[in-house]
Amino acid sequence: MGKPAVDYSVYLVTDSTRAILGDRQLASVVEDSLKGGGVTVVQLREKTGDTAHLISVAKELQQITRKYNVPLLINDRVDVALAVGCEGVHIGQDDMDLATARTLLGPDAIIGVTVSTVDEALTACEGGADYLGIGTVYATPTKTNTKEIIGAAGVREILGRIAEAGYGTQTVCIGGINASNLQRIVYQCAAEKKALDGVAVVSAVMAAQDPDAAARKLLGLVRNPPPFKADLRGEGSDKADAESIVTQVPSIVRRVHDTTPLSHNMTNIVVQNIAANVALAVGASPIMAGYGEEAPDLCKLGGALVINMGSVDPAGLENYLKALRAYNLAGRPVVYDPVGAGATSIRRNAVKTIMANGYLDVIKGNEGEIKTVFGSNQEQQRGVDSSSTLGAAQKAKLVRELAAREKNVVVMTGKTDFVSDGVRTFAIDNGHAYLGLVTGTGCTLGTAISAAIASRQSDRLSAVIAAILHFEIAAELAAERPEVRGPGTFVPAFLDELYLIRQATANNDLAWLARAKVS
Ligand code: 3NM
Ligand code: MG
């Protein structure tokens, strides 16, 4: 016979609790999910019930899975798998050990193991597991007694380490995966040399009104690259030195000027006005729209979204998530400004929720905010005192690690700004102290960045750096004007300089750029 080849793309885990199944029959929901080819492997998971009952359910499902030619695995119960003669089992860390299961089931059985740490993963690979179920990715109401929420970053670390150790073991991830987050999760989970082979879901298929359509949709998403992937790097992304990055700046500034991209700002009331004016000054078209229901229309206009975390009440957060989903689905860029991220537990939770629910092309914050964002996904960061000041090397390391983890661009603002795409990291020493004395200037940098990444043709990191240089050099030029005597007179001069820089750039006058201090 030999071991069957398994396609792990869409791995359905059953659940017959009422919350998931409602009044429907388990077998009919499973059959529905299989009939259009959306589900590629089924695991029967029953946490209660007598052995006789479990065997009869397994036999019933086996008839269906055979009909559609997909493997059936049994959660935990090696005896049930043996009794029905199905393709294999899935075992958790507290279930029968892998070696014993293998001895009982034989070499041709498919045996999968749940892992949530690198050690568990390496042990399972070493022990000859056919695949790993890695999780829990995100908290899920379907299974509340999960051991550890590891996020996409945790999955990525495990994939990286098993690839490094030379194992080709197949992998799926599980926990909170659905059609709206699947592509982003698969993308963020991928390590350099190993990607997931599929995703395991319960509710996304079992609880769906139409399990067939839901499963086919998931399969389509697994098999197609995410919209933001194609958008990740472009011309110039091979340039790793500061000089060649700066060389790209004029074309990026000019392109904003020429294309007038939409900058969709979901921002706090304090900065609405100045953010809209900064957008206009750099050549973008601002819309200040906090209502998430508008995002599916607005994201089609070729712009970028700024989520400036001013409103963290439940309604505000829900609006952010709706907009984030819409922009992610459309493959349009999102800039996240986690304002006051560490200030309250509500804000810390909002950061976690936003990070877990979407892909953020750029995260921009001050030192404390970036630390909080970094810690939102990593246990060991809990103890970091956000008032402690990191040295330059530590800041560079933090932005690089966060960007590598999130597969995006991270900006840490400060007297010196640090910018990284996870591979290339730069320090920018431009700007003026007046920026810190005017409310909302930090926030409006996010707006300027959104304009640059919305209209860019070059790679994302260069676009972000172009926006920062445009913004901070304008501040320097404004502060040096004779009429500017403090933060009040600074604001109109700053808007003027933003405008004048892009006009000059459009006319090929690049004198301003000589001030760029990028290293
Ligand atoms: N195992 P949903 S999480 C069955 O982490 C199961 O090992 C998990 O359900 C683990 O797709 C989980 O509805 C439930 O979020 C996943
Ligand atoms: Mg188990």
Side-chain angles (χ1 to χ4, degrees):
M1 251 182 64
K3 205 183 275 271
V6 183
D7 175 355
Y8 290 97
S9 300
V10 177
Y11 181 131
L12 176 67
V13 180
T14 70
D15 187 321
S16 37
T17 56
R18 204 174 161 78
I20 299 273
L21 213 49
D23 294 328
R24 301 168 304 166
Q25 294 298 311
L26 180 67
S28 77
V29 173
V30 171
E31 176 144 23
D32 254 1
S33 75
L34 287 168
K35 70 185 181 202
V39 166
T40 58
V41 48
V42 175
Q43 178 197 127
L44 170 62
R45 183 171 179 271
E46 291 283 317
K47 285 301 181 190
T48 55
D50 297 333
T51 302
H53 173 71
L54 196 50
I55 289 174
S56 84
V57 174
K59 281 187 171 157
E60 194 184 4
L61 289 197
Q62 191 181 31
Q63 288 191 346
I64 299 164
T65 55
R66 284 205 168 144
K67 181 165 145 197
Y68 294 99
N69 204 21
V70 305
L72 174 67
L73 310 175
I74 311 292
N75 184 285
D76 190 0
R77 297 290 301 266
V78 175
D79 56 338
V80 174
L82 278 170
V84 302
C86 64
E87 284 76 6
V89 294
H90 181 85
I91 53 185
Q93 292 293 322
D94 302 325
D95 299 337
M96 181 186 288
D97 66 280
L98 176 56
T100 310
R102 179 63 74 197
T103 305
L104 291 171
L105 291 166
D108 291 345
I110 302 293
I111 305 183
V113 179
T114 293
V115 301
S116 52
T117 65
V118 169
D119 282 349
E120 288 171 357
L122 291 172
T123 304
C125 290
E126 171 67 28
D130 293 288
Y131 75 91
L132 307 181
I134 309 176
T136 304
V137 187
Y138 292 119
T140 169
T142 309
K143 186 172 188 242
T144 48
N145 66 337
T146 51
K147 269 195 237 159
E148 215 182 337
I149 307 296
I150 61 173
V155 178
R156 185 158 166 265
E157 158 136 51
I158 290 172
L159 291 176
R161 293 285 298 277
I162 61 182
E164 205 175 281
Y167 294 112
T169 315
Q170 309 238 57
T171 55
V172 296
C173 68
I174 186 162
I177 294 151
N178 57 52
S180 74
N181 61 23
L182 185 155
Q183 286 192 311
R184 192 255 314 166
I185 289 173
V186 169
Y187 173 61
Q188 287 183 316
C189 285
E192 216 168 300
K193 293 197 173 116
K194 191 165 177 64
L196 290 165
D197 296 289
V199 295
V201 298
V202 179
S203 53
V205 168
M206 293 297 298
Q209 293 275 9
D210 183 343
D212 170 34
R216 280 185 291 112
K217 174 152 195 196
L218 295 178
L219 186 64
L221 292 168
V222 170
R223 292 194 173 156
N224 289 304
F228 38 79
K229 186 172 180 178
D231 204 30
L232 234 192
R233 295 195 155 187
E235 199 185 317
S237 62
D238 55 328
K239 305 283 195 299
D241 61 300
E243 208 173 311
S244 34
I245 296 263
V246 173
T247 308
Q248 296 179 64
V249 169
S251 70
I252 296 161
V253 172
R254 203 175 296 126
R255 206 172 146 74
V256 175
H257 174 81
D258 289 342
T259 61
T260 324
L262 185 78
S263 171
H264 175 183
N265 288 254
M266 301 182 99
T267 192
N268 58 73
I269 46 171
V270 181
V271 302
Q272 299 269 3
N273 183 277
I274 190 163
N277 281 326
V278 165
L280 288 167
V282 300
S285 169
I287 178 164
M288 318 308 282
Y291 186 40
E293 301 288 346
E294 286 186 296
D297 285 338
L298 292 174
C299 71
K300 292 182 190 134
L301 303 177
L305 173 69
V306 181
I307 297 178
N308 176 298
M309 206 176 70
S311 313
V312 286
D313 53 277
L317 192 53
E318 195 47 47
N319 281 319
Y320 297 154
L321 299 183
K322 279 182 184 151
L324 182 53
R325 219 165 285 146
Y327 274 76
N328 278 178
L329 279 175
R332 297 304 309 169
V334 180
V335 178
Y336 178 40
D337 190 340
V339 181
T344 63
S345 66
I346 295 283
R347 272 172 203 265
R348 281 189 293 275
N349 282 328
V351 170
K352 273 189 195 161
T353 306
I354 290 168
M355 303 279 294
N357 278 278
Y359 177 75
L360 305 156
D361 293 74
V362 182
I363 301 175
K364 178 207 81 73
N366 60 29
E367 182 183 332
E369 291 161 352
I370 295 298
K371 275 182 187 164
T372 302
V373 169
F374 189 78
S376 71
N377 224 344
Q378 290 217 340
E379 296 293 341
Q380 71 263 32
Q381 280 296 311
R382 260 199 203 134
V384 168
D385 170 9
S386 66
S387 66
S388 82
T389 313
L390 301 176
Q394 291 167 297
K395 287 178 181 172
K397 180 169 182 275
L398 180 60
V399 297
R400 189 184 64 242
E401 285 181 1
L402 181 59
R405 188 182 92 190
E406 300 298 326
K407 289 200 170 148
N408 66 2
V409 174
V410 174
V411 181
M412 186 196 287
T413 55
K415 191 165 179 312
T416 302
D417 309 302
F418 292 87
V419 190
S420 181
D421 67 354
V423 180
R424 301 165 294 167
T425 306
F426 294 100
I428 302 177
D429 257 311
N430 291 101
H432 192 274
Y434 283 158
L435 284 172
L437 297 175
V438 180
T439 186
T441 47
C443 298
T444 57
L445 175 58
T447 302
I449 290 171
S450 76
I453 58 167
S455 62
R456 83 192 198 285
Q457 285 175 319
S458 61
D459 81 300
R460 206 167 38 175
L461 182 74
S462 310
V464 171
I465 291 174
I468 296 172
L469 289 173
H470 184 174
F471 191 91
E472 296 192 334
I473 292 174
E476 291 173 11
L477 292 168
E480 287 170 16
R481 285 185 175 203
E483 77 271 21
V484 172
R485 300 174 54 223
T489 41
F490 169 74
V491 173
F494 174 53
L495 292 175
D496 282 352
E497 293 296 346
L498 285 171
Y499 170 79
L500 292 170
I501 282 177
R502 71 141 157 134
Q503 294 292 348
T505 307
N507 294 322
N508 263 320
D509 171 2
L510 306 177
W512 65 277
L513 200 53
R515 288 172 171 261
K517 289 187 200 143
V518 183
S519 56

